[in-house]
């Protein structure tokens, strides 16, 4: 099922998510029960931050499964995908294994929602993250952000468009993307 980003944008309430151009706050969160990952670990490449309300919920399951399927497209842009919710590292570990997810899930567990609060996407009344997406450039600046209604899977179209736009900004003047080579005809 595909969701039209324009319909979602028109129906959502404005949130206080970090806008494009903002330096993304660094963080260090549990990636497994005994390992942490920091945003700064991924400097030099695009990063997708996918905040979501909770492991095991139906919409979150659909969203994370979709991103797992689209992961090769994200990798085509050398982008790292990080899922973030307020669930604990043990819950993430079981969820990741059960869903066969091939990207990192980070636990914004204690203090609960601190990273989500720093990004303007914590739902204080519910104690969970908004369903929010951020694309960061290699220097850790927000190039695109989006907050979806909590019950709507935002899909991957907006992320892919943001990655394409970011890639176009970084493309050399000769039109060749880094790592790509033009043939003799220049195509």
């Amino acid at each position: 099922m595909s969701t039209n980003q324009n319909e979602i944008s028109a129906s959502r309430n404005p949130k206080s998510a970090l806008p494009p151009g903002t330096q993304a706050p660094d963080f260090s969160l549990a990636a497994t029960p005994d390992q942490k990952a920091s945003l700064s670990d991924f400097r030099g490449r695009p990063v997708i931050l996918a905040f979501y309300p909770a492991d095991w919920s139906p919409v979150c399951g659909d969203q994370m499964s979709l991103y797992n399927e689209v992961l090769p497209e994200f990798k085509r842009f050398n982008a790292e995908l990080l899922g973030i919710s307020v669930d604990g590292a043990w819950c993430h570990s079981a969820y990741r294994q059960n869903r066969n997810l091939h990207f990192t899930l980070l636990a914004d567990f204690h203090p609960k929602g601190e990273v989500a609060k720093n990004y303007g996407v914590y739902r204080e009344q519910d104690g969970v993250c908004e369903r929010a997406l951020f694309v960061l450039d290699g220097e850790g600046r927000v190039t695109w952000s989006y907050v979806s209604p909590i019950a709507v899977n935002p899909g991957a179209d907006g992320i892919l468009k943001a990655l394409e736009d970011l890639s176009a900004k970084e493309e050399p003047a000769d039109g060749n993307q880094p790592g790509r080579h033009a043939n003799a005809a220049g195509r």
Side-chain angles (χ1 to χ4, degrees):
M1 180 176 158
S2 175
T3 305
N4 182 320
Q5 291 291 135
N6 293 331
E7 289 173 11
I8 293 172
S9 294
S11 69
R12 75 172 179 91
N13 294 327
K15 303 294 180 199
S16 58
L18 295 179
T22 306
Q23 185 66 38
D26 197 12
F27 56 78
S28 183
L29 294 172
T32 68
D34 62 349
Q35 295 178 328
K36 289 192 175 260
S38 297
L39 181 59
S40 59
D41 295 341
F42 303 99
R43 284 287 193 272
R45 63 190 296 194
V47 175
I48 304 157
L49 300 179
F51 287 87
Y52 63 101
D55 293 340
W56 309 106
S57 75
V59 177
C60 295
D62 291 346
Q63 181 184 7
M64 295 303 113
S65 292
L66 171 65
Y67 295 164
N68 203 49
E69 288 178 35
V70 179
L71 200 55
E73 287 298 307
F74 297 158
K75 296 290 184 188
R76 188 169 61 89
F77 293 99
N78 195 33
E80 187 71 30
L81 171 63
L82 303 172
I84 303 173
S85 81
V86 297
D87 295 296
W90 288 104
C91 187
H92 277 338
S93 183
Y95 184 67
R96 191 171 181 261
Q97 183 177 1
N98 178 273
R99 291 288 184 149
N100 196 29
L101 299 177
H102 299 285
F103 57 91
T104 302
L105 298 179
L106 298 173
D108 193 8
F109 184 71
H110 184 72
K112 187 173 184 177
E114 182 177 326
V115 172
K117 289 173 188 172
N118 289 338
Y119 281 75
V121 294
Y122 186 69
R123 292 173 68 97
E124 193 72 46
Q125 70 278 16
D126 300 321
V128 299
C129 302
E130 292 285 355
R131 192 174 307 284
L133 302 169
F134 296 87
V135 172
L136 312 179
D137 66 15
E139 274 116 50
R141 276 187 308 275
V142 176
T143 63
W144 178 81
S145 63
Y146 178 76
V147 179
S148 176
I150 198 99
V152 177
N153 179 346
D157 292 346
I159 296 169
L160 291 169
K161 173 78 169 95
L163 290 171
E164 287 171 4
D165 291 349
L166 180 59
S167 178
K169 287 179 189 171
E170 295 173 350
E171 194 170 299
D174 65 5
N176 290 323
Q177 290 182 358
R180 286 182 140 179
H181 303 284
N183 66 18
R187 291 180 266 185

